[in-house]
Amino acid sequence: MNTIDAISNETFRETIDRAVKDVFRTMLAMQAAPDPGGPTQDQDGLPMQKSVLLRGKQVLGNVGFQGDLNGILGLCFDDSFANRITGKLLGMTENEVVEAGHEVANDTIGELTNMAAGAFKNQLADRGHPCKLTIPAIVRGEDLGFEPHQGAVRRVYRYTVDGSHVFIDFQIKETAS
């Protein structure tokens, strides 16, 4: 049995659940609740292994991790929610965030993604899988699609935060030895 197979679906879920909830509670005093709706599973109930399309203006933060397990964790927010949480974090109105330009919200989304990936990384390390994080990358666009990486184990989660959805695309695979 390889390393990834030894990590159960429940462990993935608990680990990412704790990371997301901790980041929103600690940084924004907001509660993130798992939302089983949306495109998180294939029709057979298995983790999503096909493309996912999110409609509307989106902001996606990606952070990779490297070690005996490699992967990427992406947090995707609709543009309006990204501006709202940026304002809450920085003490600005949503209009002030918009007037300041995308860079301000991009920095916030990058930091939140980095914190969620860091919390996940720490939990992997506690389970004997140390790894390092990459620098966050931000993608903005409309109707963003997410593709599964060949050979990666993929988990897709959705959370509800203050009436908005946060979509998480998590893909992981072992380093060839």
Side-chain angles (χ1 to χ4, degrees):
M1 175 181 287
N2 68 33
T3 304
I4 294 174
D5 291 338
I7 303 172
S8 70
N9 286 336
E10 291 76 24
T11 299
F12 272 110
R13 181 70 198 204
E14 290 170 9
T15 303
I16 200 68
D17 222 38
R18 186 175 314 138
V20 170
K21 288 178 178 178
D22 286 352
V23 167
F24 277 94
R25 183 179 50 248
T26 303
M27 297 302 294
L28 297 161
M30 299 173 106
Q31 300 298 313
D35 183 348
T40 60
Q41 297 180 328
D42 284 332
Q43 291 178 338
D44 55 8
L46 297 174
M48 180 67 72
Q49 292 302 319
K50 60 185 176 186
S51 300
V52 174
L53 176 65
L54 298 177
R55 299 280 183 200
K57 293 181 179 178
Q58 306 289 324
V59 182
L60 169 67
N62 278 316
V63 172
F65 53 91
Q66 300 174 329
D68 61 341
L69 298 174
N70 292 327
I72 191 162
L73 180 113
L75 269 66
C76 193
F77 307 79
D78 74 46
D79 186 58
S80 177
F81 186 58
N83 290 336
R84 189 164 27 120
I85 60 177
T86 296
K88 182 172 175 79
L89 186 66
L90 301 178
M92 302 167 69
T93 67
E94 192 172 333
N95 285 340
E96 289 171 329
V97 172
V98 171
E99 289 173 10
H102 291 314
E103 205 169 289
V104 174
N106 289 354
D107 286 347
T108 297
I109 300 308
E111 184 57 29
L112 294 176
T113 306
N114 194 42
M115 292 180 71
F120 184 79
K121 175 195 79 103
N122 291 340
Q123 293 177 47
L124 279 178
D126 291 346
R127 290 178 165 85
H129 307 290
C131 53
K132 296 180 179 178
L133 298 180
T134 65
I135 295 172
I138 303 296
V139 175
R140 288 181 163 270
E142 194 159 334
D143 300 338
L144 292 180
F146 301 91
E147 301 292 328
H149 293 271
Q150 188 170 11
V153 172
R154 185 181 195 202
R155 300 293 183 269
V156 177
Y157 304 109
R158 192 167 96 156
Y159 289 83
T160 299
V161 181
D162 198 30
S164 294
H165 298 290
V166 177
F167 178 84
I168 297 173
D169 186 70
F170 176 74
Q171 299 190 45
I172 187 169
K173 63 182 178 182
E174 291 180 56
T175 302
S177 50

